[in-house]
Amino acid sequence: MATSIGIMDSAYFVGRNEILTWINNRLQLNLSRIEEAASGAVQCQMLDMTYPGVVPMHKVNFDAKSEYEIIQNYKVLQEVFNKLKIDKHIEVTRLVKGRPLDNLEFLQWLKRYCDSVNGGIMNENYNPVERRVKGGKDRNIKGFKSSKSLHSNAMNNSSSLDALNLHRASGPKHSRSAGGSDEANLSAEVQALSKQVTDLKLSVDLLEKERDFYFSKLRDIEILCQTSEVENEPVSVAIKKILYAADAKESALEEAQAYIEEAVEDEPETET
């Protein structure tokens, strides 16, 4: 199944928000960014939900921060892949860097794989929170906190606010000029950050438009190659070999060129 998910599969055109919704709904998390799942813990638990009991959850570190800890999670995941005979190599060196695009691509593949196993239906009998604490330690992943933790944080925040108010009441008064300067600096920083966010959103929009543009071109080529008049022509077959290549690491160009050369050699010579 894994090898049949090629780079042109619709799985790789699932958006970031849909992936995050998929993760949060199934694992009862509250992730807001793809890179928050870069530790490999989410991927391990998604497989545990798909194949209950197969993943040794006590080995999965949901608090993984260092590169070494993250690599250990991916080792667990690769061992499960091997156990389930999932023919998929995990690009650990790329994923541990936390780059959104690399992690999004892997999660897109994982969603496609899990949906192919369970039909996209959530396992209602699976308790993700209970499985996360199966190792005997209340583990928290960014985006999720137990009710006990939330209550504790609320009490701590309340105490901190009381102390802050007391300090403000008894502490020295700052001059208005200093306060105005601080507010001006803060406002400038907020404006600068807002501009960065706007620029990033524009960049993302441009990238998505460019992606959609090239995908539509590739789709047109695919449809053309599938027409009955030309689908068995060597050039059409060679193009489809490139489009449907499952291994994203290697180019299928050489294989396609070899196919065309072989087809040309096998053609009968026409008499002049």
Side-chain angles (χ1 to χ4, degrees):
M1 176 61 221
T3 53
S4 65
I5 305 176
I7 194 65
M8 287 302 297
D9 192 281
S10 59
Y12 292 107
F13 296 93
V14 176
R16 174 182 65 87
N17 290 334
E18 186 175 342
I19 292 293
L20 289 172
T21 299
W22 174 65
I23 293 172
N24 291 334
N25 287 348
R26 278 162 171 71
L27 301 185
Q28 296 180 25
L29 297 173
N30 190 28
L31 304 186
S32 58
R33 297 181 301 164
I34 289 295
E35 52 268 39
E36 289 175 19
S39 72
V42 164
Q43 292 84 336
C44 286
Q45 189 163 21
M46 275 298 182
L47 266 191
D48 186 66
M49 187 178 197
T50 306
Y51 297 98
V54 170
V55 180
M57 293 299 291
H58 64 282
K59 292 184 178 180
V60 180
N61 184 0
F62 287 93
D63 299 319
K65 296 291 189 298
S66 69
E67 187 171 306
Y68 172 79
E69 292 173 330
I70 294 173
I71 289 173
Q72 299 311 304
N73 281 345
Y74 281 112
K75 282 184 177 180
V76 172
L77 187 62
Q78 188 68 69
E79 288 173 2
V80 174
F81 276 16
N82 297 339
K83 185 176 181 179
L84 296 172
K85 294 182 170 52
I86 300 175
D87 186 15
K88 172 72 173 176
H89 176 68
I90 303 174
E91 297 285 353
V92 178
T93 54
R94 294 170 60 184
L95 295 174
V96 297
K97 297 183 185 300
R99 289 191 294 241
L101 289 178
D102 291 333
N103 282 275
L104 175 61
E105 183 179 310
F106 185 57
L107 288 168
Q108 287 169 331
W109 174 90
L110 184 64
K111 183 180 187 301
R112 176 73 171 81
Y113 177 81
C114 292
D115 287 351
S116 71
V117 174
N118 55 33
I121 300 172
M122 187 185 302
N123 184 355
E124 299 293 343
N125 296 322
Y126 184 85
N127 188 329
V129 178
E130 182 180 285
R131 285 295 289 164
R132 280 197 286 273
V133 300
K134 206 66 178 175
K137 176 185 175 184
D138 187 7
R139 298 165 183 260
N140 288 326
I141 180 173
K142 189 172 183 180
F144 167 80
K145 291 185 178 180
S146 65
S147 58
K148 182 179 179 181
S149 299
L150 290 172
H151 177 72
S152 176
N153 286 346
M155 293 296 292
N156 290 336
N157 289 339
S158 177
S159 299
S160 298
L161 286 172
D162 289 343
L164 181 60
N165 289 334
L166 181 62
H167 175 74
R168 285 176 176 173
S170 61
K173 303 288 184 180
H174 291 286
S175 65
R176 290 193 176 186
S177 59
S181 176
D182 290 342
E183 289 179 4
N185 291 336
L186 183 60
S187 177
E189 289 179 11
V190 170
Q191 289 179 0
L193 290 173
S194 298
K195 185 179 183 303
Q196 288 181 24
V197 170
T198 302
D199 291 342
L200 287 172
K201 285 182 177 179
L202 289 173
S203 298
V204 170
D205 289 341
L206 289 173
L207 287 172
E208 288 181 346
K209 288 179 181 178
E210 186 177 7
R211 178 201 67 187
D212 294 342
F213 172 79
Y214 286 112
F215 177 71
S216 65
K217 297 296 182 186
L218 290 170
R219 179 59 181 152
D220 290 342
I221 293 170
E222 180 185 34
I223 292 172
L224 181 63
C225 291
Q226 289 175 341
T227 56
S228 57
E229 293 83 0
V230 300
E231 64 176 343
N232 294 321
E233 292 294 322
V235 172
S236 296
V237 175
I239 290 173
K240 286 187 284 187
K241 282 182 178 291
I242 295 174
L243 289 177
Y244 300 148
D247 194 343
K249 296 182 297 181
E250 298 179 4
S251 172
L253 180 60
E254 291 184 5
E255 181 185 355
Q257 289 174 329
Y259 178 84
I260 292 178
E261 292 173 0
E262 184 179 342
V264 170
E265 290 175 359
D266 291 343
E267 285 184 356
E269 295 182 1
T270 57
E271 295 182 1
T272 57

